[in-house]
């Protein structure tokens, strides 16, 4: 866009923008403040739906009645390098073209597109009944009914495949320490701590500006009355495409170990770049363009290198470090609301995937349960 803000869209075979898809994606980016990468994922999903409609001779506004066939197409029809559908691979033991999670992601995007199309009059209202289980609001209590009395209410999506149970894992303290010791610069050590000890997402860490970092015991001279060293985590459009998933801003306290890592990195950065470079906190200090802000993907690549360099049996990703932080706060006696606030979560239920108790704490919890012999006396139990 002329402002410099970017979003992803969908074009047809003649490279003409598909109007309804573009309108919906612009609404998500600018009307709902969704991330650029969100529009990328949704645009790719919508392109698959439109490609299926074109290939099967269906009109996209009403093709939802055959959504089950679209799901089969998604599972067994891979994409060719030119973007068209490749030949379907059949037969026992053939690997599906797309896994369950990917299929559900595509279906969620298609439901969003069709719902938006209904809201702007580009698709018939009956489409909602094809993609959602609906209930008539007239069956609701009077106080819960809308003014029109006959408005349908969405319940849940009709089409969804069962996903296999995925293990939610955290980085162990030993893994994070091993990676920290393999860092070859103060900047990389700070990155490990920002994710593993401060609990930031990689997009939030890459999106930090130097002005967000208040490291003094008293920051009132900076116009901030928050006591102690801390960070201000904010959502903003950054030149390196870093994006905070949380819409709300929050203040994150820092301990002495992280502040010390900041001091070492600031000295390193000044020695290599002087006073120059981007206002972003994390910048290139060893490769061109020097002083340019690090993109979020670079943090993921760093974690992959450190995992390998430390000789770990698995690759520890940035989000595993964030889960380790949330779990460590809980293991240290932190309450759910404290973990929620420190992770920048809006809803208490969002904290659950980040609470992975240490196995030692679980065993100690079992051993704290009184023995029946203690309660009733050893002579009563044989």
């Amino acid at each position: 866009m002329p402002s410099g803000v970017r979003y992803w869209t969908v074009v047809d075979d003649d490279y003409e923008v598909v109007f309804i898809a573009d309108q919906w994606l612009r609404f998500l980016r600018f009307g709902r403040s969704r991330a650029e990468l969100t529009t990328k994922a949704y645009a790719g999903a919508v392109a698959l739906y439109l490609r299926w409609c074109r290939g099967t001779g269906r009109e996209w506004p009403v093709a939802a009645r055959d959504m089950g066939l679209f799901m089969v197409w998604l599972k067994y029809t891979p994409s060719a390098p030119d973007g068209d559908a490749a030949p379907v691979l059949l037969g026992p033991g053939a690997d599906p073209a797309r896994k369950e999670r990917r299929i559900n992601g595509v279906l969620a995007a298609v439901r969003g597109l069709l719902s938006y199309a209904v809201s702007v009059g580009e698709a018939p209202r009956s489409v909602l009944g094809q993609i959602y289980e609906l209930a008539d609001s007239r069956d609701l209590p009077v106080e819960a009914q809308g003014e029109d009395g006959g408005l349908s209410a969405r319940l849940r999506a009709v089409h969804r495949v069962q996903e296999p149970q995925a293990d939610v894992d955290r980085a162990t303290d030993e893994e994070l320490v091993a990676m920290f010791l393999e860092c070859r610069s103060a900047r990389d050590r700070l990155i490990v701590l920002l994710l593993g000890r401060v609990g930031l997402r990689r997009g939030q860490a890459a999106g930090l500006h130097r002005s967000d970092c208040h490291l003094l015991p008293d920051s009132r001279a900076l116009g901030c009355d928050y006591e102690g060293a801390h960070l201000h985590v904010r959502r903003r459009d950054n030149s390196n495409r870093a994006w905070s998933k949380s819409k709300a801003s929050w203040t994150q306290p820092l301990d002495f170990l992280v502040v010390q890592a900041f001091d070492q990195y600031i000295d390193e950065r000044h020695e290599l770049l002087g006073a120059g470079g981007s206002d972003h906190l994390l910048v290139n200090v060893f490769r061109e363009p020097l002083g340019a802000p690090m993109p979020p993907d670079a943090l993921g690549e760093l974690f992959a290198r450190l995992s390998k360099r430390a000789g770990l049996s698995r690759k520890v990703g940035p989000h595993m470090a964030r889960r380790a932080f949330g779990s460590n706060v809980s293991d240290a006696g932190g309450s759910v609301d404290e973990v929620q606030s420190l992770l920048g979560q809006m809803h208490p239920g969002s904290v659950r995937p980040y609470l992975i108790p240490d196995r030692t704490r679980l065993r100690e919890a079992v051993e704290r349960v009184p023995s029946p012999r203690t309660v009733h006396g050893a002579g009563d139990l044989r």
Side-chain angles (χ1 to χ4, degrees):
M1 303 293 288
S3 63
V5 180
R6 305 195 293 187
Y7 74 101
W8 288 70
T9 191
V10 180
V11 297
D12 60 20
D13 291 341
D14 297 322
Y15 297 98
E16 295 290 337
V17 171
V18 179
F19 172 75
I20 187 61
D22 184 72
Q23 190 177 15
W24 177 57
L25 292 165
R26 280 191 288 115
F27 166 72
L28 290 177
R29 183 72 174 97
F30 306 112
R32 299 292 297 274
S33 297
R34 295 293 184 89
E36 177 190 331
L37 292 179
T38 299
T39 64
K40 178 182 180 181
Y42 284 1
V46 168
L48 287 171
Y49 175 69
L50 297 177
R51 187 177 303 140
W52 171 74
C53 291
R54 181 197 63 187
T56 58
R58 290 175 168 86
E59 297 292 331
W60 71 262
V62 295
R65 62 175 177 262
D66 297 324
M67 193 68 79
L69 297 177
F70 175 54
M71 295 167 67
V72 175
W73 183 89
L74 281 175
K75 185 173 182 178
Y76 293 108
T77 309
S79 296
D82 59 2
D84 284 325
V88 179
L89 301 177
L90 302 177
D95 293 331
R98 297 174 184 86
K99 301 293 186 180
E100 292 86 356
R101 184 175 182 181
R102 171 59 175 157
I103 293 174
N104 283 333
V106 172
L107 293 175
V110 172
R111 286 193 295 268
L113 171 72
L114 294 175
S115 299
Y116 178 81
V118 170
S119 71
V120 296
E122 293 292 329
R125 184 175 176 80
S126 60
V127 170
L128 293 179
Q130 297 168 353
I131 58 178
Y132 292 105
E133 294 180 356
L134 301 178
D136 198 311
S137 64
R138 289 173 294 187
D139 295 331
L140 299 174
V142 175
E143 58 272 16
Q145 294 184 15
E147 293 182 359
D148 59 2
L151 182 65
S152 294
R154 296 183 193 176
L155 293 181
R156 62 177 182 177
V158 174
H159 304 92
R160 182 176 178 84
V161 296
Q162 184 68 35
E163 297 183 26
Q165 185 68 33
D167 292 332
V168 178
D169 202 1
R170 53 162 287 181
T172 66
D173 293 342
E174 291 77 13
E175 288 171 332
L176 290 175
V177 170
M179 294 168 64
F180 181 86
L181 294 176
E182 290 297 328
C183 292
R184 296 173 179 173
S185 69
R187 184 202 62 185
D188 293 352
R189 290 193 291 271
L190 176 60
I191 291 173
V192 172
L193 292 177
L194 286 175
L195 275 62
R197 195 167 179 85
V198 182
L200 300 184
R201 299 176 186 272
R202 62 177 183 174
Q204 292 165 346
L208 284 174
H209 289 215
R210 287 185 282 184
S211 56
D212 297 327
C213 309
H214 296 172
L215 307 180
L216 298 175
D218 188 336
S219 299
R220 284 178 292 182
L222 303 174
C224 175
D225 58 1
Y226 193 93
E227 295 184 2
H230 61 276
L231 299 174
H232 292 280
V233 185
R234 300 182 173 96
R235 172 185 277 195
R236 54 165 70 93
D237 287 311
N238 291 295
S239 59
N240 61 345
R241 303 168 72 180
W243 183 261
S244 174
K245 186 176 181 180
S246 176
K247 294 182 179 180
S249 301
W250 82 94
T251 303
Q252 187 78 344
L254 305 175
D255 65 5
F256 174 76
L257 182 62
V258 179
V259 172
Q260 189 176 47
F262 262 97
D263 291 341
Q264 294 173 355
Y265 167 58
I266 290 172
D267 289 341
E268 176 184 78
R269 172 173 169 159
H270 188 269
E271 180 180 350
L272 296 170
L273 302 177
S278 167
D279 182 54
H280 281 74
L281 173 66
L282 302 175
V283 298
N284 294 336
V285 290
F286 302 109
R287 65 175 61 177
E288 298 291 341
L290 293 175
M294 294 180 65
D297 288 346
L299 276 63
E301 294 168 1
L302 171 64
F303 266 64
R305 291 196 304 271
L306 292 176
S307 298
K308 184 177 181 180
R309 200 180 297 162
L312 303 182
S313 60
R314 60 176 183 168
K315 183 174 73 172
V316 173
H319 211 71
M320 294 170 66
R322 174 174 161 85
R323 293 195 195 105
F325 168 76
S327 298
N328 282 338
V329 172
S330 178
D331 287 341
S335 61
V336 172
D337 64 319
E338 290 172 341
V339 179
Q340 177 187 346
S341 179
L342 290 171
L343 290 174
Q345 302 282 9
M346 295 294 294
H347 305 290
S350 301
V351 181
R352 186 176 181 85
Y354 297 91
L355 301 181
I356 308 172
D358 182 82
R359 294 177 181 178
T360 302
R361 185 163 69 90
L362 292 177
R363 178 166 294 279
E364 291 174 351
V366 171
E367 293 175 349
R368 286 196 301 268
V369 178
S371 167
R373 294 180 180 273
T374 304
V375 176
H376 298 285
D380 298 333
L381 297 176
R382 301 183 187 275

